[in-house]
Amino acid sequence: MIPIDNFLVLSAILFSLGMYGVLVRRNAVLILMSVELMLQAVAINFVAFAVYLNPETFTGLIFGIFVIVIAAAEVGLALAIILRLFRNRQISNVDEADLMKW
Amino acid sequence: MDQAWLIPAIPAAAFAILLIFGPYLPRKGDWLAIAAIGASFILVFPVLADLLDQADGTTYVAGEKAWEWISFDLAGVGEKFEIEIGFYVDPITIVMLAVVTLVALMVQVYSIAYMKGDSRYGWYFTVMSLFAASMLLLVLSNNLLLLYAGWEAVGFCSFLLIGFWWEKRSAAEAAKKAFITTRIGDVGLLIGIIMLWLEGPNTFNIQEIITFAEEGGYDNTYLTGAVLLMFMGALGKSGQFPLHVWLPDAMEGPTPVSALIHAATMVVAGVYLVARMLPLFEVADPIALDVVLVVGLTTVMISATMGLAATDIKRVIAYSTLNSLGLMFVALGSSAVAAAMLYLFVHGFFKALLFLGAGSVIHATKEQDMNRLGGLAAKMPITAAVFAIGTLAMIGIIPLSGFWAKDEVLVFAKEEQNIIVYLVLLSSLVITGLYMTRLFVRTFLFAPREQAAYDHAHEGGLLITVPLLILGLLATVGGFVVFDEVGEALGFPGGFAQFVFLNEAHEFEFHLDTAITSSVLAGGGAVAGWILWQNKAELAARIRDRFAPVSTLLSNRYYIDEIYQFVIDRIVLGLGSIIAWFDRVVVNDGGVDGSAKLGYFTGFEAKFLQTGRLPNYALAIVVGILVLSIAMLVTQV
């Protein structure tokens, strides 16, 4: 059996990549993709722990599915917002959309 | 006894009606006020009859009737906190009721003529009704809180009436002075009441507190402190030294008001309070009664001497009131309730008479400085005659009412107190004779000093003369109630002292030595006054010039007002300015404005953290998570 460490390291690398993407990218679509990456890193963690620690139940696995479903819904919503933003203001960079402030 | 509550309630109702509908009533409703106080006066008789019916020879079963006013459970103690609206009738109450209602009735009838044409005629009668109602409430109350309510209402009404002509600056100032000076005493009274309640039997009922104290329920020092604080209230209300300064100034009010304040409603409240609480004074340390005595004596002496120098006729009478009140306190200080109440009883009549007589003079001549009066007896014979009765009663000439009352006080002072007390009282009699004779001689006899005022003088109408004559009659015969025969003829068990007493009834005895001594001294004072101030008062002027410093001291009222002014200006206002600075700089600028400014500036600066840019927020979240993770790691190690 593959040791759990490998899964955790993979998950951590994915998460860090995602975080890096969120912090440095300006394009809204790319930030969204990075967020997806972070979510999937978490999902990998859930599944790995579920299999290794408590293989009898499906709790962790179901959580993984939940994360995927919610991520899909969230992406749908976010893409709609990005679309409206682009239609109205012809921008797709997040640092240009800064009206929600003082 | 069941009707007793109506006695204050009727004038109070009249006040309420006058306050709302007064301007629409015919004659502005003066008849309503008079009818109300008249009804109260008549109601005193059934209440008195009830009280006499229940007498069992030696003691009176005092009547009491009470309704619950406020009642709730005291948290944590498991006791109930109750305040009643209760009425208590005993002989002392009856004496007060009789004086208050009768004098108030006379004064109000007289006021119809005196206040005629005044722009606030209706308001005058409105406040007069409230004044009488408050005083009646005060004397009938069975508990200290209700008494205090009446006490404050009396003070408030006196403020309104002294400042009745508030367009005059001096009247407005006098009203403020009266209110503030008496308030200083009232604080003491309130603290005293609270002290009695705090350590007492969880009730404000006066009789229960007295019983509790007589059973030794209070610590002796504590009780002494409480009664002395209560005495402070009496000091302020009754204008005793050192809180007497408001009383002469209170002459700024309309003259009938002065009559009411001095004879019936305001100043005797202090005497009543001490008489009512006298059992507590007796239980407390003897020093409490000594304080009462010394204050009374001091007031007697300073007021009598100040009366010598005053030239305003109303002020002279005001000083004579202080003099009389001082005598009452001397009597109370000797535990002689009967003597004090007898003096209060007859004083009500002859003092009201003097004031209303003075009012008659002022009404006719528009002049109240006796240096500009004189010779009025020819033009105003009735006023002069009744004024003479009032003067002689005040001096204490046999057989007028003042003589008997004053004699009772003297007998007690002689028997119960140090010989010095007796001698001081005797010497005050001479001075009283002097200044009262001066007042009468300078106002009514010899050549008029100002022709205009003299020409203007005339006797007032029936509304003025009839109350004067009734009061004159009472001032003449009022003192005879000391005799057992008179008391029995009126349906009482005996003379005054067998009706009003503290522990046991007294037989009236005529002490020939005291009577002769006092008569000689008072009469001598009166004759000396006549000689000094006859014709153009040359002799008096010579003496005044000879003792110029004394006369200056007296006409400046011992500089007591100036000392108070200095204390207020320098010490009170100085302290006040420090507190004002603290309030302005620390509390206001630092605390109130400071916290508001803090909110404003933090909001103004911190809002720039909200950039609206997503990467900034994302970075903040990441940094936050990192910090929290590191903190968790550190704390778990």
Side-chain angles (χ1 to χ4, degrees):
Chain A
M1 204 173 180
I2 308 166
I4 190 168
D5 298 14
N6 296 12
F7 291 101
L8 295 186
V9 168
L10 171 67
S11 160
I13 290 169
L14 276 179
F15 191 84
S16 304
L17 282 174
M19 195 144 76
Y20 173 78
V22 168
L23 288 181
V24 301
R25 290 293 174 185
R26 295 169 64 211
N27 191 299
V29 180
L30 288 180
I31 288 178
L32 211 54
M33 286 167 67
S34 307
V35 170
E36 275 317 286
L37 220 51
M38 286 164 76
L39 280 170
Q40 298 321 316
V42 173
I44 288 173
N45 253 7
F46 271 126
V47 175
F49 278 121
V51 171
Y52 276 89
L53 296 181
N54 205 354
E56 284 79 29
T57 61
F58 294 100
T59 324
L61 305 178
I62 289 170
F63 254 109
I65 292 169
F66 262 118
V67 169
I68 292 164
V69 171
I70 289 171
E74 174 232 306
V75 166
L77 194 63
L79 279 176
I81 294 171
I82 293 165
L83 201 60
R84 296 311 308 168
L85 195 64
F86 190 77
R87 284 267 173 84
N88 286 335
R89 299 192 54 203
Q90 281 76 45
I91 53 173
S92 61
N93 286 350
V94 286
D95 53 356
E96 286 170 32
D98 60 353
L99 284 180
M100 292 288 280
K101 62 176 179 184
W102 42 269
Chain B
M1 225 55 78
D2 289 345
Q3 315 90 336
W5 65 276
L6 281 169
I7 296 175
I10 294 174
F15 161 73
I17 295 169
L18 285 172
L19 191 65
I20 302 167
F21 303 111
Y24 311 109
L25 292 174
R27 297 181 54 83
K28 302 269 184 72
D30 56 357
W31 50 273
L32 183 67
I34 290 167
I37 193 72
S40 292
F41 172 61
I42 291 165
L43 266 172
V44 175
F45 293 102
V47 172
L48 170 62
D50 266 12
L51 184 71
L52 289 175
D53 280 349
Q54 290 169 21
D56 63 350
T58 50
T59 55
Y60 290 93
V61 183
E64 212 167 344
K65 186 174 175 69
W67 291 274
E68 192 176 87
W69 183 14
I70 296 170
S71 172
F72 56 84
D73 292 319
L74 276 181
V77 192
E79 281 186 80
K80 262 186 130 47
F81 178 82
E82 279 176 325
I83 304 174
E84 288 178 329
I85 295 184
F87 298 96
Y88 177 85
V89 180
D90 72 354
I92 295 177
T93 319
I94 292 286
V95 173
M96 295 299 296
L97 289 178
V99 173
V100 173
T101 52
L102 184 56
V103 172
L105 180 62
M106 292 300 129
V107 166
Q108 293 200 9
V109 171
Y110 178 98
S111 300
I112 298 177
Y114 192 88
M115 298 304 287
K116 195 173 174 189
D118 193 278
S119 56
R120 286 191 291 272
Y121 183 79
W123 175 237
Y124 176 83
F125 282 95
T126 312
V127 182
M128 282 297 237
S129 287
L130 182 63
F131 204 179
S134 328
M135 186 65 189
L136 292 168
L137 177 72
L138 194 164
V139 297
L140 271 169
S141 160
N142 78 336
N143 66 66
L144 286 168
L145 271 193
L146 201 59
L147 184 150
Y148 187 75
W151 184 273
E152 291 295 359
V154 166
F156 174 62
C157 291
S158 71
F159 168 78
L160 289 179
L161 287 170
I162 293 167
F164 188 73
W165 288 319
W166 44 260
E167 293 90 345
K168 227 166 67 187
R169 191 173 168 77
S170 57
E173 305 249 310
K176 267 193 298 186
K177 188 171 177 181
F179 196 65
I180 295 170
T181 314
T182 52
R183 177 48 40 88
I184 293 170
D186 293 352
V187 171
L189 174 62
L190 187 60
I191 298 173
I193 290 173
I194 294 171
M195 279 174 79
L196 287 180
W197 177 78
L198 213 58
E199 295 286 311
N202 187 32
T203 174
F204 288 103
N205 189 300
I206 295 169
Q207 300 309 317
E208 285 178 36
I209 286 178
I210 288 174
T211 318
F212 184 76
E214 279 170 346
E215 287 164 357
Y218 291 104
D219 177 63
N220 203 270
T221 324
Y222 184 85
L223 182 64
T224 311
V227 294
L228 282 178
L229 280 166
M230 290 184 84
F231 181 59
M232 248 178 87
L235 265 183
K237 245 344 168 238
S238 290
Q240 296 297 295
F241 177 83
L243 295 180
H244 63 279
V245 289
W246 67 271
L247 215 111
D249 285 15
M251 295 299 105
E252 290 290 343
T255 310
V257 169
S258 306
L260 196 59
I261 289 181
H262 284 246
T265 46
M266 175 96 170
V267 294
V268 293
V271 179
Y272 168 76
L273 179 75
V274 177
R276 172 62 74 221
M277 303 316 268
L278 204 58
L280 291 187
F281 282 80
E282 300 219 301
V283 176
D285 198 272
I287 201 154
L289 280 175
D290 290 345
V291 168
V292 176
L293 183 80
V294 168
V295 163
L297 267 188
T298 317
T299 311
V300 166
M301 282 319 282
I302 63 162
S303 62
T305 44
M306 288 192 291
L308 276 175
T311 59
D312 183 320
I313 54 176
K314 282 178 76 182
R315 273 183 186 260
V316 176
I317 306 176
Y319 287 125
S320 80
T321 304
L322 287 175
N323 192 339
S324 300
L325 290 165
L327 275 176
M328 293 179 212
F329 277 107
V330 169
L332 290 171
S334 317
S335 296
V337 169
M341 292 313 286
L342 178 63
Y343 203 110
L344 191 155
F345 183 67
V346 298
H347 172 260
F349 301 136
F350 70 69
K351 192 51 52 71
L353 175 64
L354 283 171
F355 267 114
L356 295 185
S360 175
V361 169
I362 296 165
H363 191 58
T365 62
K366 311 278 177 257
E367 186 57 68
Q368 58 191 78
D369 188 338
M370 56 175 132
N371 286 334
R372 290 206 279 272
L373 292 166
L376 292 177
K379 287 254 187 146
M380 310 174 73
I382 301 176
T383 307
V386 294
F387 205 89
I389 292 173
T391 307
L392 293 175
M394 176 72 212
I395 296 172
I397 300 294
I398 197 165
L400 297 172
S401 57
F403 169 78
W404 307 103
K406 175 204 69 188
D407 229 41
E408 286 285 277
V409 178
L410 283 176
V411 167
F412 272 100
K414 191 184 176 192
E415 284 175 359
E416 310 273 331
Q417 301 292 347
N418 198 312
I419 186 74
I420 296 171
V421 174
Y422 184 57
L423 291 179
V424 170
L425 284 184
L426 287 181
S427 63
S428 85
L429 290 181
V430 182
I431 308 177
T432 310
L434 273 174
Y435 74 77
M436 287 309 292
T437 314
R438 167 175 179 255
L439 171 66
F440 184 74
V441 169
R442 300 278 280 170
T443 310
F444 289 102
L445 301 180
F446 301 110
R449 272 171 291 279
E450 197 166 287
Q451 202 57 39
Y454 180 76
D455 291 342
H456 214 270
H458 59 87
E459 197 67 78
L462 279 180
L463 285 170
I464 286 189
T465 48
V466 169
L468 281 177
L469 288 171
I470 293 173
L471 286 170
L473 180 70
L474 287 168
T476 313
V477 302
F480 294 132
V481 295
V482 290
F483 292 110
D484 289 351
E485 291 77 14
V486 176
E488 278 158 18
L490 292 171
F492 289 94
F496 192 85
Q498 299 199 23
F499 180 56
V500 180
F501 51 82
L502 188 59
N503 297 320
E504 57 185 44
H506 287 283
E507 289 281 333
F508 172 71
E509 287 173 55
F510 190 71
H511 294 257
L512 201 61
D513 54 336
T514 328
I516 290 176
T517 322
S518 75
S519 294
V520 167
L521 286 170
V527 171
W530 180 286
I531 294 169
L532 281 175
W533 277 286
Q534 66 180 344
N535 293 324
K536 297 208 148 89
E538 286 138 353
L539 202 51
R542 273 225 301 283
I543 293 178
R544 195 171 59 232
D545 294 340
R546 181 86 176 70
F547 299 101
V550 179
S551 129
T552 319
L553 182 68
L554 291 182
S555 47
N556 283 304
R557 292 166 281 169
Y558 293 102
Y559 295 101
I560 292 171
D561 290 73
E562 280 73 16
I563 294 168
Y564 286 173
Q565 193 65 51
F566 178 82
V567 169
I568 291 166
D569 284 350
R570 296 294 158 85
I571 299 172
V572 178
L573 292 185
L575 214 66
S577 68
I578 295 170
I579 295 168
W581 175 86
F582 181 82
D583 179 57
R584 207 171 45 246
V585 174
V586 179
V587 176
N588 188 46
D589 290 359
V592 181
D593 283 3
S595 61
K597 273 180 190 151
L598 186 73
Y600 176 77
F601 277 113
T602 52
F604 196 77
E605 303 297 326
K607 73 177 181 182
F608 294 110
L609 291 174
Q610 301 290 331
T611 56
R613 297 181 180 194
L614 204 55
N616 297 143
Y617 300 149
L619 187 63
I621 292 171
V622 171
V623 171
I625 289 173
L626 281 177
V627 169
L628 283 177
S629 312
I630 292 167
M632 243 171 84
L633 278 175
V634 169
T635 48
Q636 271 180 358
V637 169

